[in-house]
Amino acid sequence: MRGTEDVNNKFSDGDEDQQFDDDGKPKRTGTIWSASAHIITSIIGSGVLSLAWGTAQLGWIGGLVTLITFSCIAFYTSNLLADCYRSPDPVTGKRNHSYMEEVRSNLGRINSIACGILQYANLSGMVIGYTITASISMVAVHKSNCFHRKGHSASCKFSNNPYMIGLGVFEIFLSQIPNLHNLTILSAIAAVMSFGYSSIGIGLALATIISGKGGKTTLTGVEVGIDVTVADKVWRACRALGDIAFTYSFSAVLVEIQDTLKSEPPENQAMKKANGISLFTVTAFYLMCGILGYAAFGNDAPGNMLTGFGFYEPFWLVDVANIFIVVHLVGAYQVFTQPVYLFYETWAREKWPNSTFINKEYPIKIGNKRVLSFNLLRLTGRTIFVVLATILAMAMPFFNDFLALLGAIGFWPLTVYFPVQMHIAQRKIKRTSLKWCILQLINFFCLLVSLAAAAGSIQGVGETLSRKDEEFQQGGIDSLATNYKFADDEEFDDDGKPKRTGTVWTASAHIITAIIGSGVLSLAWGTAQLGWIGGVATLVIFSIITGYTSNLLADCYRSPDPVTGKRNHTYMEEVRANLGRLNCIACGTVQYANLTGMVIGYTITASISMVAVHKSNCFHEKGHAVSCMFSSNPYMIGLGLFEVFLSQIPNFHQLTWLSSVAAVMSFGYSLIGIGLAIAKIASGDGGRTTLTGIEVGVDVTSADKTWRMFRALGDIAFAYSFSQVLVEIQDTLKSNPPENKVMKKASTISVFTTTSFYMMCGCLGYAAFGNSAPGNMLTGFGFYEPFWLVDIANIFIVIHLVGAYQVFAQPVYHKLESWASENWPNSTFVNKEYPIKIGSKIMYTFNMLRLTWRTIFVILVTTLAMAMPFFNDILAFLGSLGFWPLTVYFPVRMYIAKNKIKRGSMKWCMLQLLNLLCFLVSLAAAVGSIQGVSQSLGSSKPFQFKLALSRFILQKRNCSAYVVASYGSAQSKLEHLIIIFSNVDVHNLSIIYNFTGTVWTASAHIITAIIGSGVLSLAWATAQLGWLGGIATLLIFSGIMLYTSNLLADSYRTPDPITGKRNYTYMDEVQANLGFVVGYTITAPKSMVAVQKSNCFHKKGHAASCKFSNNPYMIGFGICEIFLSQIPNFHELTWLSTIAAIMSFAYSSIGVGLALERIISGKGGKTSLTGVEIGVGISAAEKTWRMLRAIGDIAFAYGFSQILVDIQDTLQSRPAENKVMKKANAISMLTTTVFYMMCGCLGYAAFGNDAPGNMLTGFGFYEPFWLIDLANIFIVIHIVGAYQVLAQPVYKMIESFAINKWPNSFFVKAEYPIRIGNKTVLSFNSLRLVGRTIFVIFVTIVSMAMPFFNDVIAFLGALGFWPLAVYYPIQMHIAQHKIKRWTFKWCILQLLNFLCLVVSLAAAAASIQGISESLRTAKLFQFKE
């Protein structure tokens, strides 16, 4: 291995006499001119085009002063930075190769980390900005030429998207230039280009001024009251500072540029000269661009100067300028990304010094000369970086505000703060000396400028986003309908749907994708069972039948007339139109069961192919005798995740590209299979074949021969099963020529093409393998050599099946979505499309039902596939299930009905004979496949996947558990599982950790669970009960909770509370001695909607109609919780609980503060000792119901007992858990009760008897809007954590049950570690992923059906308070301490029990009454407020 040598000798010509610098790296050759080129390339960028706009905001005085001031500061601090390249001495000291190294050498590790985060975030932001700007310039060229050709009034609108992607592809190639040393030529070209387009801008500005068309200018810039308001003037001035700062933000690459300089003269001196030349040059250009641009455009100067001259004439000159910009930005992109690349590549080399992937260089030579070297890490890492930057750029196509934000973020810390602090440290400048004070004054001044610029740019970004959102809100679905067409024009077809554009070739691609699938790989096996005669005859007969019946089906697309009749958009509609409702239901049942079965089969097959690639590479690397066994499970899950994304493609119209790729892939792997078979035959290694296939008595028994023949018929039938998607494919065709004629051509082309391939695969495969042909032909060539070709074939299979999955799933998706649209036509959840725009063009639309339903479908399919990892029998059963009814029966019946063919006629008899024969074949195939499936089930266990020898050592305090999975032969299944425990129950083997919880972590968990959404309803509850009842109820409940939670703490161990056996859950405690997330899913979106309302009222005025749906926020919240739900247990939740606890105090404090302000200002509401008054606003009955519900709200505010045991189970053993838990209970109860008293009492004092159900909403959505926003954001963050705290016991119960039920299942128990380097940062479990995801989806759907707040909270409190907080703790305490019946203590405890039961029942009754009222006025999934 020559990894290190190759790295150190990159791009050398192999000269052995090459010299090295003092740090062991190849001798640097950079000069003052190469450094100047790099600096100018990084300085003069897209920012120069916004200087005219910046000057317009600041005026002549402010603009010129700001430019000169920033140039002086940048020059001074860049010279300070140049002296820090070597340390401690600036000439002879040790080199620092990056900005981070400089900071570490001078300021220490912490500052170095902070610098690195800022530097690399800023550099990444720069390249995103450059990607946006370059695409704008490319679009400008396109527009300019369009206007020139079509006239100035033409509609010339183009998307930035293709240009961004094209630029990204080009940057991927350039990113392989290894470092800045090799970028000199590109930097020089880019620098020349920057002068070029700046000069054109200056020239055009001069021409505008000379012609007398200059705009109006002033000393102070845009005028208040004429051009803008005072607030706008301030924001714009701040953003202008950011734009100008951005034009001088080049410090982030300065050290890396200096690291290219040769040592003589000293690098710091050469760098200072380069800084001087570069800054003088660019400042002169900046002044000309800013001044002349402002003079030309005046106060109306555009954000990008070149676009201000229009796209008209001289169009060629504007084109040239924009091309210069693009070329410059291509180079600048690489200059700014080099430090990012260098950072992670250096880290990787240090971490894995012996890895060939990271270190080895593969030379590319022309003749004997090496011109370039190729490295796998560089290729992979840099490609991913460019792809991510391009995606982010497409998501943020706004220019000025983004530039200002980048400048503000990067200017102060990188250009001023760190250089100044390093200079002070290096030169040991004393505190409070004159120089120290001046440097700190510069530092402070630039900080203020950066903060102002950041505030202005954030406000600008916010305005832009709001404007985009308003455009969509105003346009709504109507706008979508007019803008988002599948065709290029606005015409519609005769059924009112957008004009179809499908052709014979798109239909053929869809059909071939559907036909040539995994079935082709089993044809050699099928031919082996039937022999030469039976195999070839069966293939030909099935192809003829399929071609004929698909033509019959094509004629039924329109009815009654096949050309002019009404369209039938699905197979079910065709059957209903021709055969009636009952046949339609039967058809739908068979069709959708078959389609679902197909995608399950495809999931299995794709995972087998992925495992085959893994095996092939394993055998190649480790030798053929090695045991290479891998689980299909991770691959199925990975495929499922990918299919979730692809499932959002709305319909067949948008699937053409995927079908085309999949069709090409199917030909690809079939050809590889054929080629390998021919090679095997030609080499004389072909197997023994016969006319009748496998021989009875030689290969198999008579019974086996029969079963296998039946299954072979099923496999071949499966290979022709595409009728179930034929109608949906036909529904994509344009109307002229008639769809039935086009479809018949497409069917003929597809069936002929596929049959040719099938004959070759079946016959050549049989000739190659003989009677021993494998079930999957490609696996029969082994995993040995040529391993790379088998790998490619399997990759082709996977890509094809990814596409085929979507083709077969589309009818299933369409069916449910159409049904939902018909049943809930006004539901935004079902019908509303949310457009995703890139630039001004809608690239995609997003629908909530589509996201939810299709994700659930893919999860279910993946789970079923993991339960049935056997291949051939599944294929045969699917083929037999779908072939006869869908391919033969229904097409024949519809043809007879449509053409009114008389019973008993010759044609009728022939058609019925065909029907009968195919029915018998299908029955035989079904019987054979069922027999095969039953055999597989007998030797297989669901979720029992093949794994390599594995060993887990799990420690729990002083206990160890060893899990060893062992295998016999390569063909055997998992044989046995040995679990050796010391003092550990099997059912507690979820994941076992060392317990490290303390009183503070327990307090954080408890506070997160207690202070929740309930705190916001305390003011309302106090209003119902009054001062006396409200305060008394709060104190009583807190006292009860503290007492019973302490009783519960003593029951953690039994029989002794200190040394007894642990009880890991509340259920365990109850068993030894004798749920709430829906509410949070409702509450969090309400707070998110409150933020949106507040901002809407602030922008549009208090009288505006600001109505928003909770629905998107609930779904977004659910998606976030799916990710967080993978945190395995309470041990890993401490950080989230701590954040959530802080957030709960924060929003409670805001509520208290706002209430105090309201009281102090004299706006407090009317209060009374007994709360809301009867006869004033409510009746006596309503008062009673409200009081009971108020008690329920307060109970909910203290409902945390259900997770107390699980929290206690995280505590370390010393000191005793019950004592620690009691302290945690006391701390938590005291803290929360104080807050509750303040929230309840101050809220009641502020609002009086009119206190709202959610205190924060009572202050309105008006002013201070930002504070209300902040409080609601804090609520959301808190509830995100509280959701997980409360859900953990539910997860634990389900997972413990599964472990007990299936102790040997790796689906349930195996943990797949996710590592960064050598460190395991997370573990991945299949049951956890599937089970918790389904739970979160279910909770989210239930929440969307109950968008009413107070009543849900009251019911939850009433439901949980008595049994969990009172009854079970008391009963366990009595049992554990053996308290005798009728003793004084027993009576007191039972009295307390009874009183709390009465309170809970009353509160539950009231909350049910409240929910019933809400249900009468609410509609499921109708979320408009």
Side-chain angles (χ1 to χ4, degrees):
M1 188 192 304
R2 298 177 53 214
T4 308
E5 179 188 340
D6 285 334
V7 171
N8 290 334
N9 291 285
K10 287 184 224 175
F11 291 86
S12 70
D13 297 337
D15 186 0
E16 294 178 3
D17 298 327
Q18 181 170 8
Q19 294 177 335
F20 294 89
D21 271 329
D22 53 359
D23 59 349
K25 292 192 175 184
K27 199 166 188 69
R28 295 162 175 84
T29 56
T31 65
I32 189 173
W33 302 110
S34 65
S36 298
H38 287 315
I39 295 170
I40 290 169
T41 299
S42 59
I43 302 180
I44 299 186
S46 48
V48 72
L49 303 175
S50 65
L51 287 175
W53 182 86
T55 308
Q57 312 316 308
L58 301 168
W60 287 114
I61 298 171
L64 293 177
V65 168
T66 304
L67 275 167
I68 293 168
T69 304
F70 273 109
S71 68
C72 292
I73 291 170
F75 176 63
Y76 179 66
T77 57
S78 61
N79 286 347
L80 297 185
L81 204 58
D83 282 334
C84 298
Y85 172 64
R86 289 182 181 264
S87 59
D89 187 84
V91 177
T92 60
K94 178 179 172 289
R95 294 177 189 265
N96 299 303
H97 304 101
S98 67
Y99 203 139
M100 278 185 75
E101 285 187 31
E102 279 199 12
V103 175
R104 185 186 289 111
S105 297
N106 292 281
L107 302 178
R109 183 172 172 271
I110 304 253
N111 279 289
S112 169
I113 293 168
C115 167
I117 292 168
L118 288 166
Q119 181 190 9
Y120 297 119
N122 189 254
L123 289 169
S124 302
M126 289 282 197
V127 297
I128 293 168
Y130 282 167
T131 304
I132 294 166
T133 313
S135 71
I136 290 171
S137 293
M138 288 187 262
V139 167
V141 173
H142 202 166
K143 276 189 177 181
S144 174
N145 293 335
C146 172
F147 285 129
H148 182 69
R149 286 197 313 271
K150 299 181 179 178
H152 298 175
S153 60
S155 175
C156 293
K157 294 181 179 178
F158 306 103
S159 168
N160 295 11
N161 193 15
Y163 295 104
M164 286 193 195
I165 293 169
L167 178 73
V169 171
F170 189 57
E171 293 293 356
I172 286 172
F173 286 98
L174 288 179
S175 69
Q176 301 313 305
I177 298 172
N179 50 43
L180 277 172
H181 301 276
N182 301 90
L183 270 180
T184 304
I185 294 172
L186 187 60
S187 277
I189 293 169
V192 171
M193 294 297 104
S194 64
F195 291 131
Y197 65 75
S198 301
S199 300
I200 290 172
I202 291 166
L204 289 170
L206 275 171
T208 303
I209 297 163
I210 293 165
S211 66
K213 296 177 182 176
K216 179 192 173 192
T217 64
T218 63
L219 289 176
T220 55
V222 290
E223 295 180 276
V224 176
I226 298 173
D227 302 308
V228 291
T229 64
V230 176
D232 283 340
K233 170 76 174 176
V234 174
W235 288 122
R236 287 192 177 198
C238 290
R239 283 156 60 194
L241 289 173
D243 280 1
I244 295 171
F246 175 79
T247 60
Y248 285 105
S249 289
F250 66 100
S251 300
V253 293
L254 215 55
V255 181
E256 283 78 3
I257 292 171
Q258 190 169 350
D259 194 42
T260 67
L261 294 174
K262 56 188 177 183
S263 302
E264 291 296 334
E267 301 92 348
N268 64 328
Q269 294 176 16
M271 197 62 185
K272 287 177 182 178
K273 288 181 183 177
N275 289 336
I277 293 167
S278 307
L279 279 162
F280 177 77
T281 308
V282 297
T283 302
F285 266 87
Y286 281 1
L287 285 167
M288 286 192 287
C289 287
I291 293 167
L292 294 174
Y294 182 38
F297 295 107
N299 293 337
D300 298 321
N304 182 331
M305 185 169 72
L306 279 174
T307 62
F309 300 106
F311 302 99
Y312 306 146
E313 307 301 335
F315 85 99
W316 58 272
L317 191 60
V318 177
D319 283 1
V320 170
N322 279 297
I323 291 166
F324 283 174
I325 292 172
V326 173
V327 177
H328 167 257
L329 292 178
V330 164
Y333 187 115
Q334 291 305 318
V335 170
F336 277 104
T337 53
Q338 281 299 329
V340 183
Y341 301 152
L342 180 68
F343 173 73
Y344 73 77
E345 287 166 9
T346 303
W347 175 82
R349 287 192 185 102
E350 290 172 358
K351 194 76 175 172
W352 297 286
N354 300 322
S355 169
T356 55
F357 177 81
I358 291 169
N359 296 296
K360 188 166 184 179
E361 295 284 333
Y362 300 90
I364 298 171
K365 294 181 178 179
I366 296 178
N368 293 323
K369 186 177 180 182
R370 182 199 283 187
V371 292
L372 192 68
S373 67
F374 174 78
N375 173 269
L376 294 175
L377 172 65
R378 192 159 62 238
L379 176 66
T380 310
R382 298 188 180 190
T383 300
I384 291 169
F385 178 86
V386 174
V387 169
L388 289 174
T390 306
I391 291 168
L392 287 171
M394 289 192 292
M396 296 186 292
F398 26 90
F399 180 65
N400 260 355
D401 307 310
F402 193 71
L403 282 183
L405 184 60
L406 290 175
I409 289 171
F411 184 76
W412 175 70
L414 299 173
T415 305
V416 182
Y417 174 77
F418 286 119
V420 165
Q421 294 305 113
M422 287 192 290
H423 179 71
I424 290 170
Q426 191 179 43
R427 299 302 174 90
K428 298 175 182 174
I429 299 169
K430 290 184 179 178
R431 277 179 173 268
T432 69
S433 65
L434 180 61
K435 188 172 184 180
W436 185 89
C437 292
I438 290 170
L439 288 170
Q440 296 297 10
L441 184 63
I442 292 171
N443 211 344
F444 180 68
F445 168 74
C446 291
L447 170 61
L448 293 179
V449 170
S450 282
L451 287 174
S457 60
I458 289 168
Q459 188 265 356
V461 171
E463 280 185 0
T464 306
L465 288 171
S466 300
R467 190 165 58 251
K468 298 286 183 189
D469 185 59
E470 284 171 19
E471 286 171 7
F472 169 65
Q473 292 289 344
Q474 290 169 4
I477 299 172
D478 295 333
S479 168
L480 177 67
T482 55
N483 291 331
Y484 187 52
K485 303 293 183 191
F486 297 121
D488 294 332
D489 52 32
E490 294 185 356
E491 295 179 14
F492 294 87
D493 272 330
D494 52 1
D495 58 349
K497 292 192 175 184
K499 199 167 187 66
R500 295 161 175 84
T501 56
T503 65
V504 66
W505 302 111
T506 62
S508 299
H510 287 313
I511 295 169
I512 290 169
T513 299
I515 302 180
I516 300 186
S518 49
V520 72
L521 302 174
S522 65
L523 290 176
W525 181 89
T527 308
Q529 312 316 307
L530 301 168
W532 285 113
I533 297 172
V536 174
T538 303
L539 277 168
V540 172
I541 290 167
F542 273 109
S543 68
I544 293 169
I545 291 170
T546 302
Y548 177 67
T549 56
S550 61
N551 286 346
L552 299 185
L553 203 58
D555 283 333
C556 298
Y557 173 64
R558 288 181 181 264
S559 57
D561 188 84
V563 178
T564 60
K566 179 180 172 289
R567 294 176 188 266
N568 299 302
H569 305 100
T570 65
Y571 202 139
M572 281 183 72
E573 284 186 29
E574 280 197 11
V575 175
R576 183 189 288 113
N578 291 280
L579 301 177
R581 184 170 171 272
L582 288 177
N583 278 288
C584 170
I585 293 169
C587 168
T589 304
V590 174
Q591 182 190 9
Y592 295 117
N594 190 253
L595 289 169
T596 305
M598 289 282 197
V599 295
I600 294 169
Y602 283 167
T603 304
I604 296 165
T605 313
S607 70
I608 289 171
S609 291
M610 288 187 258
V611 167
V613 173
H614 203 166
K615 276 189 177 181
S616 173
N617 293 337
C618 172
F619 285 130
H620 182 70
E621 287 169 13
K622 299 180 179 179
H624 299 175
V626 174
S627 175
C628 292
M629 305 178 81
F630 306 102
S631 169
S632 308
N633 194 16
Y635 294 104
M636 286 193 194
I637 292 170
L639 179 73
L641 291 173
F642 190 56
E643 293 292 356
V644 166
F645 286 97
L646 287 179
S647 70
Q648 300 311 307
I649 297 172
N651 50 42
F652 266 114
H653 301 274
Q654 263 72 34
L655 266 184
T656 303
W657 64 273
L658 187 59
S659 280
S660 301
V661 171
V664 172
M665 294 298 105
S666 64
F667 290 130
Y669 66 73
S670 301
L671 288 170
I672 290 172
I674 290 166
L676 288 170
I678 290 171
K680 192 175 178 75
I681 297 162
S683 67
D685 292 334
R688 175 170 167 266
T689 66
T690 63
L691 288 176
T692 55
I694 52 174
E695 295 179 277
V696 175
V698 178
D699 302 305
V700 289
T701 64
S702 176
D704 281 340
K705 168 77 172 176
T706 305
W707 289 123
R708 288 194 176 197
M709 286 178 66
F710 287 164
R711 282 158 60 193
L713 289 173
D715 281 0
I716 295 171
F718 175 81
Y720 283 105
S721 288
F722 69 100
S723 299
Q724 56 268 53
V725 293
L726 211 58
V727 182
E728 283 79 2
I729 293 170
Q730 191 168 350
D731 194 41
T732 67
L733 296 174
K734 56 188 178 185
S735 303
N736 194 15
E739 301 92 346
N740 63 329
K741 293 181 180 178
V742 174
M743 198 62 189
K744 287 176 182 178
K745 288 181 184 176
S747 297
T748 304
I749 292 167
S750 306
V751 172
F752 178 77
T753 307
T754 53
T755 301
S756 302
F757 267 88
Y758 283 0
M759 292 291 283
M760 287 191 285
C761 288
C763 297
L764 292 173
Y766 182 38
F769 294 106
N771 292 337
S772 303
N776 181 332
M777 183 168 72
L778 279 173
T779 61
F781 299 104
F783 302 101
Y784 305 148
E785 307 301 334
F787 85 101
W788 58 271
L789 191 60
V790 177
D791 281 2
I792 290 172
N794 279 297
I795 291 166
F796 283 175
I797 291 171
V798 173
I799 297 170
H800 168 257
L801 293 178
V802 164
Y805 185 117
Q806 291 304 319
V807 169
F808 279 102
Q810 279 296 332
V812 184
Y813 299 153
H814 178 70
K815 180 62 184 171
L816 184 132
E817 288 157 15
S818 299
W819 174 81
S821 294
E822 290 170 6
N823 280 276
W824 297 287
N826 299 322
S827 169
T828 54
F829 177 83
V830 172
N831 296 298
K832 189 169 184 179
E833 296 283 336
Y834 300 90
I836 296 171
K837 293 182 180 179
I838 296 178
S840 59
K841 187 177 179 183
I842 296 175
M843 299 303 297
Y844 183 67
T845 61
F846 174 79
N847 173 271
M848 296 300 177
L849 173 64
R850 194 158 61 237
L851 175 66
T852 310
W853 142 241
R854 297 189 182 189
T855 301
I856 292 169
F857 177 83
V858 174
I859 290 169
L860 290 174
V861 162
T862 307
T863 306
L864 288 171
M866 290 192 292
M868 297 185 292
F870 27 87
F871 180 65
N872 262 352
D873 307 309
I874 293 281
L875 282 183
F877 184 67
L878 290 174
S880 60
L881 187 71
F883 184 77
W884 174 70
L886 297 173
T887 305
V888 182
Y889 174 77
F890 285 117
V892 166
R893 283 286 312 277
M894 286 192 288
Y895 179 76
I896 290 170
K898 193 178 183 70
N899 292 279
K900 298 175 182 176
I901 298 170
K902 290 182 180 179
R903 276 178 173 270
S905 65
M906 174 66 84
K907 192 168 188 179
W908 184 90
C909 291
M910 294 300 293
L911 287 170
Q912 295 296 8
L913 181 62
L914 173 65
N915 211 343
L916 177 65
L917 290 173
C918 291
F919 174 63
L920 294 175
V921 169
S922 282
L923 274 182
V927 170
S929 62
I930 290 168
Q931 186 265 352
V933 170
S934 66
Q935 281 184 354
S936 299
L937 283 171
S939 58
S940 176
K941 296 179 182 178
F943 305 112
Q944 199 76 354
F945 299 103
K946 295 180 181 179
L947 296 171
L949 183 66
S950 59
R951 174 173 173 166
F952 306 94
I953 302 177
L954 307 174
Q955 296 182 341
K956 181 172 182 177
R957 296 180 180 85
N958 58 350
C959 308
S960 298
Y962 298 90
V963 182
V964 181
S966 62
Y967 291 85
S969 63
Q971 291 79 21
S972 68
K973 300 265 188 286
L974 183 66
E975 289 180 348
H976 60 273
L977 186 78
I978 305 170
I979 304 176
I980 305 168
F981 290 103
S982 172
N983 300 323
V984 175
D985 291 333
V986 174
H987 76 281
N988 290 320
L989 182 72
S990 48
I991 296 180
I992 306 173
Y993 292 87
N994 286 321
F995 287 26
T996 57
T998 65
V999 66
W1000 301 111
T1001 61
S1003 298
H1005 287 314
I1006 295 169
I1007 289 169
T1008 298
I1010 302 179
I1011 300 185
S1013 49
V1015 73
L1016 301 174
S1017 65
L1018 289 176
W1020 179 88
T1022 308
Q1024 313 314 309
L1025 300 168
W1027 287 115
L1028 295 176
I1031 294 171
T1033 305
L1034 275 168
L1035 291 175
I1036 290 167
F1037 272 105
S1038 67
I1040 292 170
M1041 278 306 303
L1042 178 59
Y1043 178 68
T1044 56
S1045 59
N1046 286 346
L1047 297 185
L1048 205 57
D1050 282 334
S1051 301
Y1052 175 63
R1053 289 181 180 264
T1054 52
D1056 187 84
I1058 297 175
T1059 59
K1061 179 181 173 290
R1062 295 174 186 272
N1063 299 301
Y1064 299 99
T1065 66
Y1066 203 137
M1067 286 178 69
D1068 285 347
E1069 281 199 10
V1070 174
Q1071 189 175 359
N1073 289 280
L1074 295 179
F1076 292 126
V1077 292
V1078 174
Y1080 280 148
T1081 307
I1082 295 166
T1083 310
K1086 281 190 174 287
S1087 293
M1088 293 185 231
V1089 168
V1091 173
Q1092 197 173 1
K1093 275 190 175 181
S1094 175
N1095 294 338
C1096 171
F1097 285 128
H1098 181 70
K1099 292 199 298 279
K1100 297 182 178 179
H1102 299 175
S1105 174
C1106 293
K1107 294 182 178 180
F1108 306 102
S1109 168
N1110 294 6
N1111 193 17
Y1113 295 105
M1114 284 193 190
I1115 290 172
F1117 180 75
I1119 290 168
C1120 176
E1121 294 295 352
I1122 285 172
F1123 286 98
L1124 289 176
S1125 70
Q1126 300 313 306
I1127 297 172
N1129 51 42
F1130 268 114
H1131 302 274
E1132 313 297 327
L1133 266 183
T1134 303
W1135 64 273
L1136 188 60
S1137 277
T1138 305
I1139 293 169
I1142 293 167
M1143 293 298 103
S1144 64
F1145 290 131
Y1147 68 74
S1148 301
S1149 300
I1150 290 172
V1152 169
L1154 288 170
L1156 273 172
E1157 187 275 334
R1158 190 181 178 97
I1159 297 162
I1160 292 165
S1161 66
K1163 297 177 183 176
K1166 180 190 173 190
T1167 65
S1168 67
L1169 288 176
T1170 56
V1172 290
E1173 297 178 83
I1174 296 169
V1176 177
I1178 57 170
S1179 64
E1182 284 178 321
K1183 167 78 172 174
T1184 305
W1185 286 122
R1186 286 194 180 192
M1187 285 177 66
L1188 294 174
R1189 282 158 61 193
I1191 292 169
D1193 281 1
I1194 294 172
F1196 175 80
Y1198 284 106
F1200 68 100
S1201 300
Q1202 61 270 38
I1203 47 96
L1204 215 56
V1205 181
D1206 301 85
I1207 292 170
Q1208 190 168 349
D1209 192 42
T1210 67
L1211 295 175
Q1212 52 196 357
S1213 302
R1214 292 287 178 269
E1217 300 95 342
N1218 64 328
K1219 293 180 181 178
V1220 175
M1221 198 63 186
K1222 287 176 182 178
K1223 288 181 183 177
N1225 289 336
I1227 293 167
S1228 306
M1229 292 303 302
L1230 177 66
T1231 308
T1232 54
T1233 301
V1234 170
F1235 265 87
Y1236 281 1
M1237 292 291 285
M1238 287 194 292
C1239 289
C1241 296
L1242 293 174
Y1244 182 38
F1247 295 107
N1249 294 335
D1250 297 321
N1254 181 331
M1255 184 170 72
L1256 279 173
T1257 61
F1259 299 104
F1261 301 101
Y1262 306 150
E1263 308 302 334
F1265 85 101
W1266 58 271
L1267 191 60
I1268 303 286
D1269 283 1
L1270 195 62
N1272 279 296
I1273 290 165
F1274 286 167
I1275 291 171
V1276 173
I1277 297 170
H1278 167 258
I1279 287 173
V1280 164
Y1283 185 116
Q1284 290 305 318
V1285 169
L1286 293 174
Q1288 281 296 332
V1290 183
Y1291 300 153
K1292 189 174 181 180
M1293 181 191 71
I1294 295 167
E1295 288 157 14
S1296 296
F1297 166 79
I1299 288 167
N1300 288 333
K1301 192 75 175 173
W1302 298 287
N1304 299 330
S1305 169
F1306 275 84
F1307 175 81
V1308 171
K1309 296 176 79 170
E1311 294 284 332
Y1312 303 91
I1314 297 170
R1315 292 192 175 102
I1316 295 177
N1318 294 323
K1319 187 178 180 183
T1320 301
V1321 293
L1322 191 67
S1323 64
F1324 172 79
N1325 173 269
S1326 302
L1327 172 65
R1328 194 158 62 237
L1329 176 65
V1330 177
R1332 297 189 181 188
T1333 300
I1334 291 169
F1335 176 83
V1336 175
I1337 290 169
F1338 174 75
V1339 163
T1340 306
I1341 291 168
V1342 171
S1343 301
M1344 290 191 293
M1346 295 189 299
F1348 23 88
F1349 179 67
N1350 263 352
D1351 307 309
V1352 173
I1353 284 180
F1355 183 67
L1356 291 173
L1359 189 69
F1361 185 77
W1362 174 70
L1364 298 172
V1366 182
Y1367 176 76
Y1368 285 119
I1370 285 176
Q1371 296 305 115
M1372 287 190 288
H1373 178 73
I1374 290 169
Q1376 190 177 36
H1377 291 83
K1378 299 175 182 175
I1379 298 169
K1380 291 183 178 179
R1381 278 177 173 267
W1382 309 114
T1383 61
F1384 180 72
K1385 189 174 183 179
W1386 185 89
C1387 292
I1388 294 290
L1389 289 171
Q1390 295 297 10
L1391 180 63
L1392 174 63
N1393 208 346
F1394 178 71
L1395 289 173
C1396 291
L1397 170 61
V1398 172
V1399 169
S1400 282
L1401 287 174
S1407 60
I1408 291 167
Q1409 186 265 353
I1411 290 173
S1412 66
E1413 283 183 5
S1414 300
L1415 283 172
R1416 280 199 294 272
T1417 57
K1419 295 179 182 178
L1420 296 185
F1421 302 111
Q1422 291 285 2
F1423 296 99
K1424 293 182 180 178
E1425 294 186 4

